[in-house]
Amino acid sequence: MIALESTVADSAPSEADLAFWRSLRDRVLPLRPSQYDLTSTCNLQCEGCLFFSGSDYLGHTDVHELATVDTFFAAEAARGVRYGYFGGAEPSLVQEKLVIAARHLPYGVVFTNGTQRISDEVPFRIHVSVWGRTATSRALRGADVQQKQVRNYRGDKRAVFVMTLNARNIDEVGAVAAMCADNDLALSFNHYSPTQRYTRFIQGDAPADRYHASSSQTDNLMLRPAHLARARELIARLMDDAACRIIYSREFNDIIHDPAGLYPELQPGTDLAADCGVRLTASLRHYNTDFSASSGKCCTPNVDCRSCRLYAQSYATVLARATRSLRQPQALARAIRMWRVWCALFLNDDGLAAVASAS
């Protein structure tokens, strides 16, 4: 297990922690990230899909000319971007774009369904989305993909399997963890976070579509307080199991399963989170598949902020909150704990090597 908690929660940072922090600042930070949708094509049809909900994906034509891709990422590097979050729909279907991006950006993570193995030419972290056991995966994704995922990434040091928890699969956490342990795969956790359209559908205010094929008002993916409590308990147990390679922390486990959520307050007069670490700025951008800059609120503009527990976004928010005040030893210790787990989850081998001597 890779954990960010310490034995004394309010202790000052140790010498090893301070060495890690110096190494991280000197060799990796600042990250200056941005987010990239590389294709509007996917080979699965997942229940409650985030990408195909709403209209943001419409009106954008995928870029196919590789020279244009190269020029684009060269310009991104020139404006200071050093970390890329790569999504799609499904980015493994356009691997040539990932290879080009890796020539220009030193760090990144690819969010993939794992059905196609990403070439070793791509050095980025690879997060493979898992939705439960074989039958659950088939029911929620339209295909049995687990065997392909394992075959493609068994023993691959770039890969982390990320189980998306929802109301239907929480009790399968142990089975997924055992599968990952048996195949030398690291495991972390995401939480299904409904889009505004999915929420309206569950409330009876919007019609169903093909990405709401098996959901209803009484049987759906929404995580309610009882589900959150159960998930928190099961993950805590797994973190005590030395056979599992869990990249998580007890501290984050408590935060993310609080029924109040990360964003209990919205900006006045809006439905936008008041304190989110991934809101788009002049520097932090989200690009559509035609490489136009998104005008949305974040990289997942359709997600309902009030119930957002998406893991990459949530880690960014928790990190931002932890690093606001670093003058007090306790605050620095907490920020270091947060950064340790983020590095384990999101940095590629080169990035990990840069801070490994202090880990």
Side-chain angles (χ1 to χ4, degrees):
M1 178 189 72
I2 299 173
L4 56 79
E5 73 277 10
S6 62
T7 54
V8 182
D10 60 353
S11 63
S14 66
E15 286 301 319
D17 284 340
L18 291 174
F20 165 86
W21 183 242
R22 288 191 295 268
S23 182
L24 181 68
R25 288 185 307 171
D26 294 345
R27 304 180 189 184
V28 177
L29 299 180
L31 287 169
R32 296 193 180 97
S34 277
Q35 304 146 349
Y36 308 93
D37 286 339
L38 298 183
T39 178
S40 57
T41 300
C42 189
N43 55 350
L44 296 180
Q45 184 174 304
C46 298
E47 186 75 5
C49 177
L50 304 182
F51 183 85
F52 292 109
S53 183
S55 59
D56 299 87
Y57 72 96
L58 298 173
H60 304 292
T61 302
D62 292 8
V63 175
H64 299 291
E65 298 78 13
L66 297 187
T68 302
V69 176
D70 187 74
T71 299
F72 171 77
F73 281 109
E76 285 295 278
R79 76 174 179 90
V81 176
R82 303 181 68 243
Y83 194 98
Y85 292 90
F86 299 96
E90 176 47 48
S92 69
L93 302 179
V94 287
Q95 296 190 34
E96 62 278 7
K97 296 182 183 180
L98 292 170
V99 172
I100 291 171
R103 296 174 189 161
H104 299 285
L105 306 185
Y107 309 116
V109 61
V110 184
F111 303 107
T112 178
N113 60 33
T115 57
Q116 305 219 16
R117 188 177 188 278
I118 293 175
S119 165
D120 290 334
E121 293 181 86
V122 179
F124 299 141
R125 263 300 198 203
I126 297 174
H127 285 187
V128 180
S129 174
V130 184
W131 283 52
R133 291 174 173 163
T134 298
T136 301
S137 180
R138 184 186 301 111
L140 294 178
R141 314 192 82 173
D144 178 4
V145 299
Q146 194 170 99
Q147 290 185 350
K148 286 184 178 180
Q149 293 172 320
V150 172
R151 183 170 64 249
N152 288 338
Y153 289 104
R154 180 186 289 115
D156 191 326
K157 293 182 179 180
R158 301 171 300 169
V160 178
F161 275 39
V162 181
M163 182 177 178
T164 296
L165 303 175
N166 61 68
R168 296 180 182 173
N169 70 1
I170 288 173
D171 287 326
E172 299 179 18
V173 166
V176 171
M179 178 270 292
C180 289
D182 290 344
N183 290 282
D184 191 23
L185 293 163
L187 176 65
S188 192
F189 303 97
N190 184 30
H191 293 73
Y192 179 72
S193 300
T195 63
Q196 293 173 333
R197 178 180 172 81
Y198 190 87
T199 300
R200 293 197 305 270
F201 164 69
I202 296 306
Q203 294 172 344
D205 296 328
D209 63 25
R210 61 182 179 139
Y211 296 101
H212 305 154
S214 68
S215 295
S216 68
Q217 292 183 27
T218 57
D219 180 13
N220 53 69
L221 308 183
M222 304 278 272
L223 290 165
R224 295 175 173 79
H227 301 128
L228 295 170
R230 179 63 172 159
R232 177 180 177 177
E233 173 192 1
L234 292 174
I235 292 173
R237 289 182 192 172
L238 286 175
M239 292 173 63
D240 289 328
D241 187 343
C244 298
R245 291 175 56 200
I246 306 295
I247 304 180
Y248 217 60
S249 78
R250 300 185 195 284
E251 189 168 0
F252 188 79
N253 196 34
D254 291 342
I255 293 170
I256 203 65
H257 291 111
D258 183 343
L262 281 174
Y263 314 106
E265 296 182 4
L266 301 179
Q267 292 181 351
T270 76
D271 57 0
L272 303 179
D275 185 19
C276 175
V278 293
R279 288 291 299 277
L280 300 184
T281 66
S283 175
L284 174 57
R285 303 176 187 175
H286 173 219
Y287 289 96
N288 301 306
T289 60
D290 58 3
F291 293 156
S292 63
S294 170
S295 60
K297 61 184 179 181
C298 64
C299 63
T300 47
N302 301 304
V303 167
D304 189 334
C305 290
R306 293 163 296 186
S307 52
C308 180
R309 289 183 171 82
L310 298 171
Y311 73 111
Q313 294 85 332
S314 297
Y315 271 113
T317 292
V318 171
L319 269 177
R321 295 175 184 177
T323 52
R324 282 176 184 159
S325 175
L326 296 178
R327 296 195 176 189
Q328 296 182 355
Q330 294 88 344
L332 178 57
R334 184 169 186 268
I336 291 172
R337 295 196 304 271
M338 294 291 179
W339 275 108
R340 279 189 180 276
V341 74
W342 189 93
C343 288
L345 191 55
F346 288 98
L347 280 187
N348 57 18
D349 285 349
D350 287 346
L352 290 171
V355 296
S357 60
S359 296

